[in-house]
Amino acid sequence: MTATGASDEGVGARGAPVNGPVDGPWWWARRRSAVLDVFLAAASALECLIEGAKFADEAQLPELLGLLLGLLAGSVLLVRRRWPVAVVLVSIAVMPAEMGVLLGLVGLYTLAASDLPRRITALLAGMSVVGSWVTSYLNVQQGMAGQQGFRPPLWFAPVTSVAVGLLLTAPPVLWGLYIGARRRLVESLRERADGLERELSLLADRAEERAEWARNEERTRIAREMHDVVAHRVSLMVVHAAALQAVALKDPEKASRNAGLVGDMGRQALTELREMLGVLRTAEGPAVRGASAPAASERLAAVASRAGAQATERDRPAGPPAKPSGGAPTAEPGAAGAASTGAHVPEQRGGEAAAEGPHLAELADLVGQSRAAGMTVELTVDEDAGDAGDTGGAVAAEAGCRYAARVERTVYRVVQEALTNVHKHAPGAQARVRLAHRDGELAVQVENGPGESGAAGAGLPSGGNGLVGMRERVTALGGVFVSGPTETGGFRVSAVLPVSPVPAA
């Protein structure tokens, strides 16, 4: 905000520079402002010199004194931008000498256009009106006294004096107020535009950061999905290959069976890799990049489940049925496999479009694969009181579609990765998978005992991403994930997920 007229942007009322380039000398923001003020000061000084000489002659004072007074008073306009109050006070002070008309007009305009408090402007404008009225009244009275035949009414002198005072004060004050208000509005709009530009720049930076974060998050999700769907089968391949090497000479029939399992697992892994690479290529296409990237991991899960179901249909591992706990028996592996391959799975789960993906009904098949690799695994399902009446394979079949797809898929991946870790780090250990349906939550726990001291490990490498991936999956759904060693020397993985049952169609 500036102190004076339209030509003095960049300097405040008290001379402090404001926003904008300052290339003028001293308190002037621009050179043309300094040139204008010098011109106005010269014109005012010339006027005051003439009027000062006339005043000195009428007051019978030395003419030099009148000229000096006029020069000093007129030159005050040089500092109008720096001290507008001083300029107005000088103009009021020289009113009795009948000089400084231009000084008063420009001074009042400068004061009204400045950012000084309006009460100061009103006070000085009132003083100027009073000074002009007094000076005009005295001049009118002297003029009337000098004309013998002129007898105006009594109201003529005061009304004329008031009119002259208002004419010399109101226009510059009103014009200055208008210019000041317009300038403040323009500066406010400019500041708002600058603020919006800064906000847009900040939003653009944040959008870029969010896009980068989304890309990194999607890479992490895809890597986690690939790790979950491929590492498990490859781990089972290594376990079967180690068993094949151990029994190749002692039991040719078992060695042949293990070789067939290794071949099936290898084909399943290749199928899943090929399908997932196809999904990634589609998601990276320019036409579908925006729509496919967020759902890439969902499609990867669907591809892996479909490929696994096809392979399981060809060669289903045999194993003992899961043991019931809490009055709710689990499904037979065959029944669960039928649910995963032949049974109808609803398209909608929890009100959302559920992509084909692993669900709870496939846990029995997952456990059966580990049993076929030589691990002793026990699967139990605990139902709450409301589900205690369910019997047989209906529990597992219903569990396959009773929760949201992402919840069931997360539980499946937790069990899958936990069993893979048992193969890697505790060969020969017994494992127990427990699934608990509670009011408003779904809990899963995978616990294994210590590995057999004489059991030979398969030499599976570990990248250290399994537990991290499980924790990320669970916490992303608002659940709780806990893992750690047990007192008996084994390891326990637990996860609790908040759920809302899907009403039956």
Side-chain angles (χ1 to χ4, degrees):
M1 193 172 294
T2 60
T4 59
S7 62
D8 53 2
E9 293 93 344
V11 176
R14 294 170 180 81
V18 295
N19 295 335
V22 178
D23 59 357
W26 294 342
W27 54 82
W28 288 286
R30 294 178 296 184
R31 296 184 183 275
R32 67 175 185 179
S33 300
V35 172
L36 176 61
D37 286 355
V38 170
F39 173 77
L40 291 176
S44 177
L46 179 60
E47 176 201 356
C48 291
L49 282 175
I50 297 174
E51 294 173 348
K54 181 180 178 181
F55 170 73
D57 182 58
E58 293 177 354
Q60 297 180 357
L61 296 174
E63 185 178 0
L64 181 60
L65 180 61
L67 294 175
L68 181 61
L69 177 62
L71 179 63
L72 293 177
S75 302
V76 173
L77 279 182
L78 282 173
V79 296
R80 71 182 183 97
R81 302 175 190 269
R82 184 72 172 181
W83 296 293
V85 175
V87 174
V88 176
L89 290 176
V90 170
S91 68
I92 295 173
V94 299
M95 281 183 181
E98 299 181 6
M99 68 171 64
V101 177
L102 180 61
L103 176 65
L105 294 176
V106 176
L108 288 173
Y109 164 80
T110 303
L111 178 67
S114 69
D115 62 346
L116 288 171
R118 290 294 162 242
R119 62 179 181 273
I120 296 179
T121 302
L123 176 61
L124 293 178
M127 292 173 60
S128 179
V129 170
V130 172
S132 300
W133 178 78
V134 171
T135 303
S136 300
Y137 183 80
L138 294 177
N139 290 335
V140 170
Q141 289 293 346
Q142 291 178 1
M144 291 170 54
Q147 298 181 5
Q148 298 296 332
F150 183 66
R151 292 292 183 268
L154 295 178
W155 55 264
F156 178 77
V159 170
T160 302
S161 303
V162 170
V164 172
L166 292 177
L167 184 63
L168 294 177
T169 305
V173 171
L174 295 178
W175 183 250
L177 291 175
Y178 166 73
I179 293 298
R182 188 183 68 174
R183 183 178 303 111
R184 285 188 288 272
L185 176 61
V186 171
E187 290 178 358
S188 175
L189 294 176
R190 184 183 295 112
E191 290 177 358
R192 185 178 302 178
D194 293 341
L196 290 176
E197 185 177 356
R198 288 192 297 269
E199 290 181 4
L200 288 176
S201 177
L202 182 60
L203 288 176
D205 295 340
R206 289 181 177 178
E208 182 63 26
E209 293 176 0
R210 286 195 297 269
E212 183 64 26
W213 176 85
R215 287 191 291 268
N216 294 334
E217 184 70 13
E218 193 59 33
R219 293 191 191 100
T220 302
R221 291 178 60 191
I222 293 174
R224 183 170 60 242
E225 196 68 38
M226 294 184 68
H227 173 272
D228 290 342
V229 300
V230 176
H232 179 70
R233 298 199 184 279
V234 174
S235 299
L236 292 179
M237 288 174 58
V238 176
V239 171
H240 285 300
L244 174 62
Q245 184 180 10
V247 302
L249 299 179
K250 300 178 182 179
D251 192 347
E253 182 179 354
K254 186 176 181 179
S256 176
R257 186 167 58 253
N258 286 340
L261 290 174
V262 171
D264 290 338
M265 290 293 176
R267 283 187 290 272
Q268 294 174 26
L270 287 175
T271 301
E272 292 173 3
L273 281 174
R274 186 180 300 109
E275 294 279 355
M276 284 186 291
L277 290 176
V279 169
L280 291 177
R281 290 193 184 97
T282 303
E284 292 176 358
V288 295
R289 181 175 301 164
S292 299
S297 59
E298 305 292 335
R299 299 179 61 190
L300 289 176
V303 167
S305 177
R306 184 166 60 252
Q310 294 172 356
T312 305
E313 183 68 19
R314 292 194 304 268
D315 184 9
R316 183 182 308 283
K323 296 182 180 180
S325 176
T330 59
E332 296 289 341
S340 66
T341 57
H344 171 68
V345 178
E347 293 294 332
Q348 298 291 331
R349 297 183 187 175
E352 65 181 7
E356 277 188 77
H359 47 82
L360 298 184
E362 301 180 25
L363 285 180
D365 284 337
L366 181 64
V367 171
Q369 293 174 6
S370 294
R371 287 176 182 150
M375 181 189 299
T376 302
V377 188
E378 177 185 358
L379 173 63
T380 61
V381 177
D382 296 341
E383 295 286 342
D384 55 17
D387 296 329
D390 294 337
T391 58
V395 174
E398 182 185 355
C401 58
R402 65 192 297 180
Y403 300 118
R406 61 182 183 276
V407 174
E408 298 193 3
R409 183 167 55 251
T410 298
V411 172
Y412 183 92
R413 294 306 185 196
V414 169
V415 176
Q416 183 184 55
E417 183 60 30
L419 293 179
T420 302
N421 288 341
V422 176
H423 284 293
K424 290 181 180 179
H425 306 294
Q430 296 182 356
R432 182 185 181 189
V433 179
R434 181 182 178 185
L435 185 66
H437 302 275
R438 302 172 184 170
D439 186 14
E441 64 182 17
L442 178 63
V444 62
Q445 183 183 87
V446 181
E447 181 178 353
N448 64 275
E452 295 181 358
S453 56
L460 292 169
S462 176
N465 297 319
L467 293 177
V468 175
M470 286 190 281
R471 184 181 302 276
E472 290 176 350
R473 284 183 178 275
V474 174
T475 55
L477 299 181
V480 178
F481 179 83
V482 179
S483 63
T486 63
E487 297 179 354
T488 59
F491 200 83
R492 181 187 297 117
V493 172
S494 303
V496 179
L497 295 171
V499 296
S500 56
V502 178

